[in-house]
């Protein structure tokens, strides 16, 4: 009886020009059907039932047969009662009159009432929602099945235009990657693409990354319409899904068809640390997380010659202060030398940010691929496998890793001062940038030398792998 998800049929004419954008015309057919749906009619038991559970009311009739329940409900659409099952004493059944027949549903209670996925505070609400769903799915089955055939979202993309009107669409996906060929004797041929880089800021581009919507079941207060198909989202609770990052509202079945074009709303992003990487950069319209850019900029300005850079720990409380500053102030966070004289605090904050990512820079689904690549004994084949793995990273992860590794390569150029070579940095950043999916301590210990080797090889071969 749980309400199924839904979508739309006829399209709406809306200008495709962001400047001329007008709200769509919401389709009212399903809303009208909800208004016509039968209302619940409780059939009460004339006597007090000693066996009645405390969470049921007078609609509980004790242990009665299906036939007797059918007789009691043979009055009007929407009539309902609760009975104890004769076949399974101690279990309860909701008997509901709909379509000139009595429907029986196994009823459960765990603090809330439910017969399917939806959970309700009261039996009245459960029955109300069920009658709406039954009525709409009976009257409009064909309409519902065709709702996604002509979605307004696909025609005009009005949701994106509404949220970032006038925002220029930029290139999608990975930055152009050089096709490299790994040859014998460790030599790698690659067509020259760009001249030498003077600083990390050279070659920087902003990217508009694809991002899937983070849909979660949502209960809407008051009438709401699907922003994919423009049809009404019916029911009393959990009528549809809402993207927790951008606020897009859709039917459950429409959610499977929405493009990966989520543009997170900064008002919904509560923090910087522990926020999904792609979500953060999309919300701020930056190629990389601000923490990475700002910390690396500060380290390159005054810390490249600091002995033990990234190996020496900063004061933990001060690192936590930096984290709180980013969460509170975003790109206005003050991490200057006047505020934090010890560069190890900034380096520690960068490492903490990378460790706290819910999905590591080298994602969980690619972890084993990189570990297996590191185990390859042939140097050329090993680099080839690592290069192939890099191309599978989500674009925002790829760009962040590229920027970080380029910085770490620069750190190694000051090895005489900071005593940090590629191997040392691999030891520090291996467990930070790649973590096993099962978070097993044993797996992490077994893989540590391969984690180190992956990062070491990325740094040593940065100019050809990215």
């Amino acid at each position: 009886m749980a309400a199924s998800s839904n979508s739309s049929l006829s399209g709406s004419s809306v200008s495709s020009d962001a400047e001329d954008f007008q709200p769509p015309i919401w389709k009212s057919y399903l809303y009208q059907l909800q208004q016509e749906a039968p209302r619940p009619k409780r059939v009460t038991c004339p006597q007090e039932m000693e066996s009645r559970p405390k969470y049921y009311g007078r609609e509980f009739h004790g242990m009665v047969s299906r036939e007797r329940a059918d007789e009691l409900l043979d009055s009007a659409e929407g009539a309902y009662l609760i009975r104890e099952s004769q076949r399974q004493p101690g279990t309860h059944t909701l008997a509901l009159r709909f379509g000139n027949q009595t429907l029986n549903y196994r009823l459960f209670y765990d603090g809330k009432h439910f017969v399917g996925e939806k959970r309700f505070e009261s039996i009245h609400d459960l029955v109300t929602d069920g009658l709406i769903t039954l009525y709409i799915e009976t009257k409009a089955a064909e309409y519902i099945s065709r709702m996604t055939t002509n979605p307004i979202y696909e025609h005009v993309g009005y949701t994106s235009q509404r949220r970032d009107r006038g925002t220029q669409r930029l290139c999608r996906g990975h930055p152009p990657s050089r096709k490299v060929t790994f040859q014998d004797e460790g030599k790698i041929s690659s067509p020259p693409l760009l001249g030498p880089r003077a600083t990390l800021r050279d070659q920087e581009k902003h990217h508009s990354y694809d991002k899937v919507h983070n849909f979660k079941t949502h209960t809407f207060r008051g009438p709401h319409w699907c922003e994919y198909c423009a049809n009404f989202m019916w029911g009393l609770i959990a009528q549809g899904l809402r993207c927790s990052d951008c606020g897009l509202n859709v039917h459950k079945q429409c959610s499977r068809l929405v493009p990966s074009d989520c543009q997170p709303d900064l008002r919904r992003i509560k923090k910087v640390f522990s926020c999904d990487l792609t979500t953060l950069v999309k919300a701020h319209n930056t190629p990389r997380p601000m923490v990475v850019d700002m910390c690396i900029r500060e380290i390159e300005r005054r810390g490249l010659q600091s002995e033990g850079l990234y190996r020496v720990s900063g004061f933990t409380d001060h690192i936590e202060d930096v984290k709180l500053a980013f969460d509170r102030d975003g790109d206005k966070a003050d991490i200057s030398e006047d505020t934090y004289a010890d560069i190890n605090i900034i380096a520690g904050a960068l490492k903490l940010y990378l460790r706290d990512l819910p999905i590591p820079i080298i994602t969980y689904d690619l972890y084993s691929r990189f570990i297996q690549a590191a185990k390859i004994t042939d140097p050329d084949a090993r680099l080839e496998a690592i290069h192939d793995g890099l191309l599978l990273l989500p674009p925002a992860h790829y760009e962040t890793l590229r920027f970080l590794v380029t910085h770490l390569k620069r750190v190694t150029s000051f090895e005489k001062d900071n005593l940090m070579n590629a191997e040392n940095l691999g030891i520090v950043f291996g467990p930070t940038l790649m973590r096993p999916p099962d978070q097993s301590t044993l797996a992490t210990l077994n893989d540590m030398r391969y984690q180190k080797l992956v990062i070491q090889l990325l740094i040593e071969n940065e100019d050809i792998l990215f």
Side-chain angles (χ1 to χ4, degrees):
M1 202 166 85
S4 64
S5 42
N6 357 94
S7 338
S8 133
L9 182 59
S10 58
S12 242
S13 66
V14 181
S15 169
S16 60
D17 188 335
E19 295 301 320
D20 299 329
F21 170 75
Q22 297 293 326
I25 299 173
W26 301 117
K27 302 167 190 176
S28 61
Y29 176 54
L30 298 180
Y31 176 74
Q32 292 168 355
L33 287 182
Q34 174 161 311
Q35 299 301 104
E36 298 169 6
R39 299 293 186 264
K41 299 177 181 65
R42 185 173 71 152
V43 176
T44 60
C45 184
Q47 69 238 29
E48 186 66 33
M49 302 298 299
E50 293 183 3
S51 62
R52 184 181 74 192
K54 61 182 181 180
Y55 40 82
Y56 294 141
R58 296 293 298 274
E59 69 275 4
F60 181 77
H61 286 249
M63 190 176 290
V64 298
S65 65
R66 285 190 172 213
E67 292 74 21
R68 177 55 181 158
D70 191 49
E71 292 174 6
L72 292 170
L73 295 178
D74 191 18
S75 54
E77 289 282 276
Y80 72 94
L81 61 81
I82 297 173
R83 62 184 180 84
E84 185 174 358
S85 173
Q86 290 182 321
R87 297 177 182 176
Q88 295 178 289
T91 64
H92 303 101
T93 298
L94 171 67
L96 174 65
R97 192 72 178 174
F98 179 81
N100 296 319
Q101 60 180 325
T102 299
L103 307 175
N104 292 275
Y105 299 93
R106 178 78 175 272
L107 189 59
F108 301 91
Y109 181 81
D110 63 355
K112 292 188 176 182
H113 304 278
F114 62 100
V115 298
E117 293 181 358
K118 294 185 178 183
R119 282 163 164 71
F120 299 84
E121 297 289 346
S122 69
I123 291 295
H124 182 273
D125 287 349
L126 185 153
V127 174
T128 301
D129 186 86
L131 288 169
I132 290 170
T133 300
L134 288 168
Y135 187 78
I136 288 179
E137 292 185 348
T138 299
K139 293 285 187 179
E142 183 179 356
Y143 182 89
I144 291 171
S145 70
R146 293 186 292 143
M147 286 194 309
T148 59
T149 59
N150 193 20
I152 189 170
Y153 189 100
E154 204 168 89
H155 283 310
V156 299
Y158 69 84
T159 304
S160 299
Q161 293 178 11
R162 183 184 63 191
R163 293 204 171 97
D164 45 323
R165 186 178 299 178
T167 298
Q168 182 182 7
R169 296 295 290 175
L170 302 168
C171 62
R172 290 180 177 271
H174 295 289
S177 176
R178 284 178 282 181
K179 179 61 180 174
V180 297
T181 306
F182 298 86
Q183 300 175 334
D184 293 337
E185 300 177 1
K187 294 181 180 178
I188 302 176
S189 64
S190 172
L193 193 65
L194 294 170
R197 287 169 295 187
T199 69
L200 283 177
R201 286 185 290 276
D202 294 344
Q203 303 182 48
E204 275 189 36
K205 297 179 184 177
H206 283 257
H207 302 274
S208 182
Y209 303 127
D210 286 345
K211 180 188 179 304
V212 296
H213 290 270
N214 185 18
F215 286 121
K216 295 180 180 178
T217 302
H218 189 78
T219 293
F220 298 95
R221 303 302 177 190
H224 270 73
W225 275 256
C226 175
E227 295 180 70
Y228 181 79
C229 71
N231 276 286
F232 178 67
M233 294 193 283
W234 66 84
L236 204 61
I237 69 167
Q239 304 96 325
L241 307 180
R242 169 172 285 176
C243 176
S244 60
D245 293 334
C246 72
L248 182 69
N249 303 319
V250 295
H251 293 114
K252 185 176 180 180
Q253 73 188 57
C254 290
S255 70
R256 295 189 286 267
L257 303 174
V258 174
S260 298
D261 61 354
C262 176
Q263 180 59 49
D265 187 338
L266 276 174
R267 292 171 298 180
R268 298 177 178 273
I269 308 300
K270 305 301 183 184
K271 55 187 177 180
V272 172
F273 278 64
S274 302
C275 178
D276 172 69
L277 192 152
T278 303
T279 299
L280 187 68
V281 299
K282 287 277 286 184
H284 289 271
N285 194 28
T286 59
R288 296 169 299 276
M290 68 184 76
V291 180
V292 174
D293 275 12
M294 291 175 63
C295 287
I296 287 179
R297 188 183 309 126
E298 192 67 20
I299 291 166
E300 295 214 343
R301 189 181 69 81
R302 60 183 172 100
L304 288 175
Q305 294 175 299
S306 177
E307 184 175 331
L309 180 64
Y310 289 118
R311 189 187 71 241
V312 176
S313 299
F315 189 47
T316 303
D317 287 352
H318 289 170
I319 292 173
E320 189 66 24
D321 288 343
V322 174
K323 172 184 176 180
L324 293 175
F326 275 113
D327 283 341
R328 182 185 63 247
D329 304 325
D331 58 5
K332 300 295 190 295
D334 182 7
I335 59 172
S336 66
E337 188 172 5
D338 291 340
T339 306
Y340 301 103
D342 183 4
I343 197 63
N344 295 310
I345 294 170
I346 308 304
L350 175 59
K351 290 189 295 181
L352 177 62
Y353 171 77
L354 296 170
R355 280 199 306 272
D356 279 358
L357 286 172
I359 301 174
I361 295 292
I362 294 177
T363 56
Y364 290 126
D365 57 336
L366 293 176
Y367 176 84
S368 60
R369 187 184 188 102
F370 278 89
I371 293 296
Q372 293 306 313
K375 293 179 180 179
I376 297 173
T377 55
D378 179 71
D380 299 331
R382 184 169 57 197
L383 284 180
E384 194 77 68
I386 290 175
H387 180 257
D388 290 344
L390 289 173
L391 297 180
L392 296 175
L393 286 172
H397 287 243
Y398 176 93
E399 169 59 18
T400 302
L401 181 61
R402 181 200 67 78
F403 190 78
L404 175 64
V405 170
T406 302
H407 161 67
L408 295 179
K409 182 66 174 285
R410 187 165 171 77
V411 170
T412 64
S413 68
F414 289 83
E415 181 187 350
K416 288 183 179 180
D417 300 303
N418 59 39
L419 307 181
M420 296 300 289
N421 57 25
E423 183 178 5
N424 292 336
L425 291 170
I427 293 171
V428 172
F429 280 94
T432 300
L433 298 179
M434 49 192 306
R435 304 191 295 270
D438 57 7
Q439 300 289 317
S440 165
T441 303
L442 181 60
T444 301
L445 290 174
N446 290 338
D447 292 344
M448 279 186 69
R449 64 190 178 114
Y450 299 112
Q451 293 172 344
K452 183 266 295 183
L453 183 57
V454 168
I455 306 306
Q456 179 182 342
L457 291 170
L458 289 177
I459 296 170
E460 291 174 344
N461 299 279
E462 171 268 339
D463 58 334
I464 51 176
L465 286 174
F466 291 95

